Protein backbone atom coordinates (compact mmCIF):
# COMPACT_ATOMS: atom_id res chain seq x y z
CA UNK A 1 0.00 0.00 0.00
CA UNK A 2 1.07 3.52 -0.69
CA UNK A 3 2.56 5.28 2.32
CA UNK A 4 1.42 8.85 2.81
CA UNK A 5 2.80 10.93 5.71
CA UNK A 6 0.24 11.75 8.35
CA UNK A 7 -0.96 15.35 8.57
CA UNK A 8 -2.91 17.01 11.39
CA UNK A 9 -6.33 16.06 10.07
CA UNK A 10 -5.54 12.38 9.64
CA UNK A 11 -3.80 12.33 13.02
CA UNK A 12 -6.91 13.71 14.73
CA UNK A 13 -9.10 11.07 13.10
CA UNK A 14 -6.66 8.32 14.10
CA UNK A 15 -6.56 9.49 17.73
CA UNK A 16 -10.36 9.73 17.86
CA UNK A 17 -10.64 6.18 16.53
CA UNK A 18 -8.18 4.96 19.19
CA UNK A 19 -10.17 6.66 21.95
CA UNK A 20 -13.45 5.14 20.78
CA UNK A 21 -11.92 1.67 20.53
CA UNK A 22 -10.59 2.04 24.10
CA UNK A 23 -14.11 3.01 25.23
CA UNK A 24 -15.47 -0.10 23.49
CA UNK A 25 -13.08 -2.27 25.49
CA UNK A 26 -14.21 -0.57 28.71
CA UNK A 27 -17.87 -1.07 27.78
CA UNK A 28 -17.30 -4.84 27.99
CA UNK A 29 -17.54 -4.45 31.78
CA UNK A 30 -21.07 -3.00 31.50
CA UNK A 31 -24.15 -5.25 31.28
CA UNK A 32 -24.49 -6.68 27.77
CA UNK A 33 -27.19 -9.29 28.28
CA UNK A 34 -30.23 -9.11 30.52
CA UNK A 35 -33.28 -11.25 30.98
CA UNK A 36 -35.20 -13.42 33.41
CA UNK A 37 -34.86 -17.05 34.37
CA UNK A 38 -37.76 -19.46 34.40
CA UNK A 39 -38.32 -18.92 38.12
CA UNK A 40 -38.71 -15.15 37.66
CA UNK A 41 -35.24 -13.98 38.75
CA UNK A 42 -33.70 -11.23 36.67
CA UNK A 43 -30.10 -11.41 35.48
CA UNK A 44 -27.72 -9.01 33.83
CA UNK A 45 -24.25 -10.02 32.67
CA UNK A 46 -21.29 -8.19 31.20
CA UNK A 47 -18.95 -9.72 28.65
CA UNK A 48 -16.45 -10.41 31.42
CA UNK A 49 -19.14 -12.21 33.44
CA UNK A 50 -20.07 -14.31 30.43
CA UNK A 51 -16.43 -15.20 29.86
CA UNK A 52 -16.23 -16.53 33.41
CA UNK A 53 -18.80 -19.20 32.43
CA UNK A 54 -16.46 -20.64 29.77
CA UNK A 55 -15.49 -24.18 30.66
CA UNK A 56 -17.95 -24.38 33.52
CA UNK A 57 -21.62 -24.25 34.15
CA UNK A 58 -23.82 -21.34 35.02
CA UNK A 59 -25.59 -23.29 37.77
CA UNK A 60 -28.97 -22.37 36.35
CA UNK A 61 -28.33 -18.65 36.75
CA UNK A 62 -27.91 -18.00 33.05
CA UNK A 63 -30.64 -18.85 30.61
CA UNK A 64 -29.97 -22.08 28.73
CA UNK A 65 -30.12 -20.33 25.35
CA UNK A 66 -27.16 -18.10 26.25
CA UNK A 67 -24.91 -21.00 27.26
CA UNK A 68 -24.53 -21.86 23.57
CA UNK A 69 -23.03 -18.42 22.89
CA UNK A 70 -20.73 -18.16 25.90
CA UNK A 71 -17.79 -19.57 23.93
CA UNK A 72 -18.07 -16.68 21.45
CA UNK A 73 -17.99 -13.83 23.98
CA UNK A 74 -14.19 -13.24 23.87
CA UNK A 75 -14.68 -11.94 20.31
CA UNK A 76 -16.49 -8.93 21.83
CA UNK A 77 -13.20 -7.90 23.48
CA UNK A 78 -10.86 -9.05 20.71
CA UNK A 79 -12.51 -6.97 17.96
CA UNK A 80 -12.04 -3.52 19.60
CA UNK A 81 -8.51 -4.42 20.73
CA UNK A 82 -7.52 -5.27 17.15
CA UNK A 83 -9.07 -2.02 15.91
CA UNK A 84 -7.29 -0.05 18.65
CA UNK A 85 -3.84 -1.39 17.86
CA UNK A 86 -4.23 -0.97 14.10
CA UNK A 87 -5.28 2.66 14.58
CA UNK A 88 -2.52 3.24 17.11
CA UNK A 89 0.43 1.92 15.10
CA UNK A 90 -0.54 2.40 11.45
CA UNK A 91 0.31 6.03 10.75
CA UNK A 92 1.15 6.09 7.06
CA UNK A 93 -0.93 3.45 5.33
CA UNK A 94 -4.67 3.22 4.81
CA UNK A 95 -4.77 -0.30 6.29
CA UNK A 96 -6.06 1.03 9.63
CA UNK A 97 -9.18 2.37 7.95
CA UNK A 98 -9.90 -0.89 6.15
CA UNK A 99 -9.38 -2.90 9.35
CA UNK A 100 -11.46 -0.38 11.29
CA UNK A 101 -14.44 -0.77 8.95
CA UNK A 102 -14.13 -4.56 9.16
CA UNK A 103 -13.95 -4.38 12.97
CA UNK A 104 -17.08 -2.22 13.07
CA UNK A 105 -19.05 -4.62 10.90
CA UNK A 106 -17.78 -7.66 12.82
CA UNK A 107 -18.49 -5.96 16.16
CA UNK A 108 -22.08 -5.08 15.30
CA UNK A 109 -22.79 -8.52 13.82
CA UNK A 110 -21.29 -10.31 16.82
CA UNK A 111 -23.24 -8.19 19.31
CA UNK A 112 -26.48 -8.85 17.45
CA UNK A 113 -25.71 -12.57 17.19
CA UNK A 114 -24.64 -13.07 20.81
CA UNK A 115 -26.89 -10.66 22.70
CA UNK A 116 -29.84 -10.74 20.31
CA UNK A 117 -33.07 -9.47 21.80
CA UNK A 118 -31.65 -9.57 25.35
CA UNK A 119 -29.36 -6.58 24.74
CA UNK A 120 -28.60 -4.37 27.67
CA UNK A 121 -27.08 -0.90 27.98
CA UNK A 122 -23.49 -1.94 27.23
CA UNK A 123 -24.45 -3.68 23.99
CA UNK A 124 -26.58 -0.76 22.79
CA UNK A 125 -23.85 1.78 23.56
CA UNK A 126 -21.29 -0.43 21.82
CA UNK A 127 -23.40 -0.59 18.67
CA UNK A 128 -23.75 3.20 18.67
CA UNK A 129 -20.00 3.68 19.13
CA UNK A 130 -19.26 1.16 16.36
CA UNK A 131 -21.52 3.21 14.06
CA UNK A 132 -19.68 6.39 15.10
CA UNK A 133 -16.28 4.78 14.47
CA UNK A 134 -17.39 3.58 11.04
CA UNK A 135 -18.50 7.13 10.22
CA UNK A 136 -15.14 8.53 11.42
CA UNK A 137 -13.30 5.89 9.43
CA UNK A 138 -15.17 6.78 6.27
CA UNK A 139 -14.29 10.44 6.76
CA UNK A 140 -10.66 9.48 7.46
CA UNK A 141 -10.49 7.57 4.18
CA UNK A 142 -11.56 10.66 2.28
CA UNK A 143 -9.23 12.86 4.35
CA UNK A 144 -6.33 11.15 2.59
CA UNK A 145 -7.34 12.89 -0.61
CA UNK A 146 -7.48 16.41 0.83
CA UNK A 147 -4.59 18.75 1.43
CA UNK A 148 -3.89 20.16 4.84
CA UNK A 149 -3.87 23.97 5.12
CA UNK A 150 -0.53 23.92 6.91
CA UNK A 151 1.04 22.12 3.93
CA UNK A 152 -0.19 24.90 1.60
CA UNK A 153 1.08 27.60 3.97
CA UNK A 154 4.54 26.00 4.09
CA UNK A 155 4.71 25.94 0.29
CA UNK A 156 3.69 29.62 0.08
CA UNK A 157 6.33 30.68 2.60
CA UNK A 158 9.14 29.00 0.65
Amino acid sequence: MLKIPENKTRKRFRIAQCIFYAILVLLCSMPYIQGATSDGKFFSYSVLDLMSFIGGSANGELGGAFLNYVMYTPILIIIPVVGFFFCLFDRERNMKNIVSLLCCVAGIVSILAIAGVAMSLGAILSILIYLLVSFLTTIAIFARFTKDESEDNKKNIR
Side-chain angles (χ1 to χ4, degrees):
M1 274 205 164
L2 182 64
K3 292 185 177 183
I4 297 174
E6 186 175 58
N7 62 14
K8 287 182 182 180
T9 305
R10 289 191 292 272
K11 184 176 183 177
R12 288 180 185 147
F13 282 125
R14 185 177 58 83
I15 290 171
Q17 288 171 330
C18 287
I19 290 170
F20 284 124
Y21 277 122
I23 290 171
L24 283 167
V25 172
L26 293 176
L27 281 176
C28 288
S29 63
M30 289 184 69
Y32 254 67
I33 293 177
Q34 65 184 4
T37 59
S38 59
D39 59 349
K41 292 183 182 178
F42 288 101
F43 63 86
S44 179
Y45 292 111
S46 69
V47 173
L48 303 176
D49 293 335
L50 291 171
M51 286 175 55
S52 68
F53 293 131
I54 294 177
S57 67
N59 297 330
E61 295 174 6
L62 188 65
F66 293 120
L67 285 176
N68 299 332
Y69 298 107
V70 168
M71 292 300 292
Y72 303 111
T73 55
I75 197 82
L76 295 173
I77 292 179
I78 293 170
I79 289 172
V81 168
V82 167
F84 174 79
F85 282 112
F86 259 95
C87 289
L88 185 66
F89 293 121
D90 188 13
R91 292 189 173 129
E92 295 178 343
R93 298 177 301 156
N94 206 25
M95 185 64 74
K96 67 179 164 289
N97 294 324
I98 296 167
V99 170
S100 182
L101 284 175
L102 291 175
C103 285
C104 289
V105 170
I108 290 173
V109 168
S110 61
I111 289 171
L112 292 175
I114 293 172
V117 294
M119 275 192 260
S120 190
L121 181 63
I124 293 169
L125 288 176
S126 293
I127 287 176
L128 292 175
I129 291 176
Y130 274 126
L131 291 173
L132 179 64
V133 170
S134 64
F135 179 71
L136 280 174
T137 303
T138 306
I139 293 174
I141 289 171
F142 290 113
R144 286 180 59 92
F145 303 116
T146 60
K147 290 184 180 179
D148 196 16
E149 292 177 13
S150 61
E151 291 174 2
D152 291 337
N153 291 339
K154 287 179 186 177
K155 289 178 184 178
N156 291 336
I157 292 173
R158 292 181 188 169

